Amino acid sequence: MKYKTMVLLIPLLACAAARADQFTMKDGRVFEATILREDKENFVLEVQVSKSIRDERTIAKKDITRVSKSDPSVPVFNEKVAGLLPVPDLSSEDEYARRIAVVEDFRKQFPYGEKNTEAKGILAKLKSEANEISKGGRKIKGVIIGEEEYKANRYEVDAQIEESRIMALLSRGQTVAALRDFERMGKEFANTAAYCNLAPVVVRAARTYVNQVSALLNSLEQRMKDRDTGLAQMTGDDKRTAETALAEQKRAAENRFEAEKQSDVGWVTADAYHQDSLEETVDYGNSAIAEMDAIPATPLPDGGEIYRKCYATVHDPEATSAAIKAALNPLRSAKLPAKYVVPLQAEAKQAEERIKADKLKKKKEESEGGSRKIPPSPPKEKEAPTPSASDPNMVR
């Protein structure tokens, strides 16, 4: 029974602490407490003495100059709502919906709370971004890129998306995954600003990682001896269990290494007690770092700029066939992946067909206009002269 009472009491105390009021004494002291009860002369207060200790005190009202009532919505806002912005890059519609629901629930729970106006602003921002995402937009580096802007800059934006993903992996300490993704990025986006900008960051991460693996390789022999010494000191079931576990770890490391090599994985998984994987990581890593060091600071040619100009020309209603063909030439020489080039080529073909159709229509209209002859106007009939008063033929 005592246990159940404590379980119920803990949330209540937490709630009371969250709703603590601020008391200002005549001597200038200020403290927070929860009003348990009061009469005409006194407050009975619960005061948080320490993190785990509360004390009940009676304070005369005549000794208090001010009581500032706390807003129960504030701690809830700080805990659940304040951190909903900014929304991370590349967040899905579902993630936006989840955050919007949290704010809406808060506003329903505290319609007159101190933080309601701030919550309203957060909700408006979330809904605005969610609306753009639902239309095909993307959030990259804290900026929402709308659908039309994405279409016009698709190659560079996709490169920036990869850049954001790799940076996120590095920030989480997933160095090997980031190095592998950077290699894949180079196959599609080597001539983009995003790839060139990211290269120095990845090189630093790669150097740190290779140095760590190199240290493991240099200490491998001694670590193996120390492990064998530890096993030798063990007896019975403990020793057999340890030996079985180590054998399983060794098999798993060997199988993983072979599988990754067969799949042409450059940055293999380095196992602290698997010599081949350690040596492979150091050798491959040093070679990869030398190649990454040679990546230029700016892309030559700039694939993102070439794609953007080509897209703008193809979709320009005033563009000529010659201009469209000229815009496609650098797109081919920049060696952009087919998934970016082929759609633009198809759109260019449609644009050229439209231009051709417009020319034929205009020529036909001009031809028909020139062959039509305007018939001469019929001669005007002569009007009879108006008789004057002196005319002898005038009938009187």
Side-chain angles (χ1 to χ4, degrees):
M1 232 14 218
K2 256 187 178 181
Y3 174 75
K4 289 184 178 179
T5 303
M6 285 301 296
V7 170
L8 291 171
L9 184 60
I10 289 170
L12 290 174
L13 291 177
C15 182
R19 295 168 182 252
D21 300 322
Q22 190 177 75
F23 294 81
T24 304
M25 306 293 288
K26 283 184 178 180
D27 60 8
R29 287 180 299 150
V30 178
F31 65 93
E32 290 188 349
T34 303
I35 299 174
L36 298 178
R37 57 189 179 275
E38 64 178 293
D39 54 33
K40 290 181 180 180
E41 296 181 353
N42 300 307
F43 282 116
V44 179
L45 306 177
E46 184 179 67
V47 181
Q48 185 85 40
V49 178
S50 67
K51 191 174 181 179
S52 58
I53 300 174
R54 297 176 186 275
D55 186 24
E56 188 175 302
R57 298 177 184 175
T58 301
I59 306 291
K61 288 184 176 181
K62 63 181 179 63
D63 295 331
I64 298 173
T65 59
R66 184 180 177 184
V67 179
S68 302
K69 294 289 184 180
S70 63
D71 185 345
S73 71
V74 174
V76 178
F77 176 88
N78 292 337
E79 180 185 352
K80 295 184 177 181
V81 180
L84 294 178
L85 285 179
V87 181
D89 287 354
L90 308 175
S91 291
S92 64
E93 287 184 65
D94 289 342
E95 177 58 22
Y96 273 95
R98 184 191 71 80
R99 291 172 182 247
I100 287 170
V102 171
V103 185
E104 288 178 336
D105 287 345
F106 172 82
R107 296 193 70 216
K108 287 177 183 177
Q109 186 179 0
F110 303 103
Y112 306 107
E114 177 185 329
K115 294 290 187 177
N116 193 276
T117 300
E118 193 172 343
K120 183 180 179 181
I122 291 174
L123 183 61
K125 177 71 172 175
L126 288 171
K127 285 186 174 181
S128 175
E129 290 191 5
N131 184 50
E132 291 296 327
I133 299 298
S134 69
K135 292 178 182 177
R138 290 136 173 93
K139 187 172 187 179
I140 304 168
K141 296 182 179 179
V143 178
I144 295 287
I145 297 176
E147 182 182 18
E148 290 305 315
E149 185 180 355
Y150 170 70
K151 288 179 180 178
N153 300 275
R154 184 183 166 209
Y155 185 58
E156 183 66 40
V157 172
D158 283 355
Q160 291 173 352
I161 290 172
E162 289 303 311
E163 179 189 12
S164 293
R165 286 176 176 158
I166 291 169
M167 287 297 293
L169 288 171
L170 289 174
S171 68
R172 295 195 296 267
Q174 296 175 258
T175 305
V176 175
L179 293 171
R180 291 173 180 174
D181 280 0
F182 186 72
E183 282 194 340
R184 284 192 288 269
M185 184 182 181
K187 294 175 182 177
E188 280 196 327
F189 304 107
N191 53 354
T192 63
Y195 180 76
C196 294
N197 293 339
L198 183 59
V201 179
V202 175
V203 167
R204 286 195 295 272
R207 280 204 174 97
T208 299
Y209 177 66
V210 170
N211 288 338
Q212 290 170 345
V213 175
S214 181
L216 287 173
L217 182 60
N218 293 335
S219 65
L220 179 61
E221 184 177 352
Q222 184 60 49
R223 288 186 294 110
M224 294 284 282
K225 288 180 180 178
D226 292 343
R227 191 175 68 176
D228 290 342
T229 300
L231 280 173
Q233 294 173 353
M234 300 173 71
T235 58
D237 291 342
D238 289 343
K239 185 175 183 179
R240 284 189 291 273
T241 300
E243 288 174 337
T244 301
L246 290 173
E248 289 176 355
Q249 289 174 8
K250 182 180 179 181
R251 263 194 314 274
E254 289 173 348
N255 291 339
R256 181 174 57 242
F257 178 73
E258 291 302 321
E260 289 176 350
K261 291 296 291 179
Q262 289 176 9
S263 300
D264 292 325
V265 174
W267 292 94
V268 298
T269 304
D271 185 279
Y273 287 92
H274 187 259
Q275 184 171 345
D276 288 347
S277 69
L278 296 174
E279 290 175 344
E280 176 68 19
T281 296
V282 173
D283 291 344
Y284 183 86
N286 287 327
S287 174
I289 289 169
E291 290 181 8
M292 288 188 287
D293 272 334
I295 295 173
T298 56
L300 296 171
D302 188 337
E305 182 67 16
I306 289 170
Y307 181 93
R308 182 164 43 254
K309 287 182 176 178
C310 182
Y311 183 94
T313 303
V314 168
H315 291 84
D316 182 358
E318 302 298 324
T320 63
S321 292
I324 291 173
K325 288 177 182 176
L328 286 172
N329 288 332
L331 193 70
R332 299 186 187 98
S333 63
K335 297 180 180 179
L336 268 65
K339 68 179 182 180
Y340 297 99
V341 176
V342 173
L344 266 183
Q345 288 175 331
E347 291 168 4
K349 185 177 179 181
Q350 291 174 358
E352 289 178 3
E353 289 173 352
R354 174 183 53 76
I355 292 169
K356 185 177 179 181
D358 289 345
K359 284 183 178 179
L360 289 174
K361 182 180 178 182
K362 186 176 180 181
K363 187 176 181 181
K364 183 178 179 182
E365 288 174 350
E366 290 174 350
S367 176
E368 290 176 351
S371 62
R372 285 198 300 268
K373 292 184 178 180
I374 302 173
S377 303
K380 292 183 179 180
E381 294 183 3
K382 291 184 179 180
E383 297 180 359
T386 303
S388 63
S390 60
D391 189 346
N393 296 321
M394 181 179 179
V395 180
R396 296 183 185 275

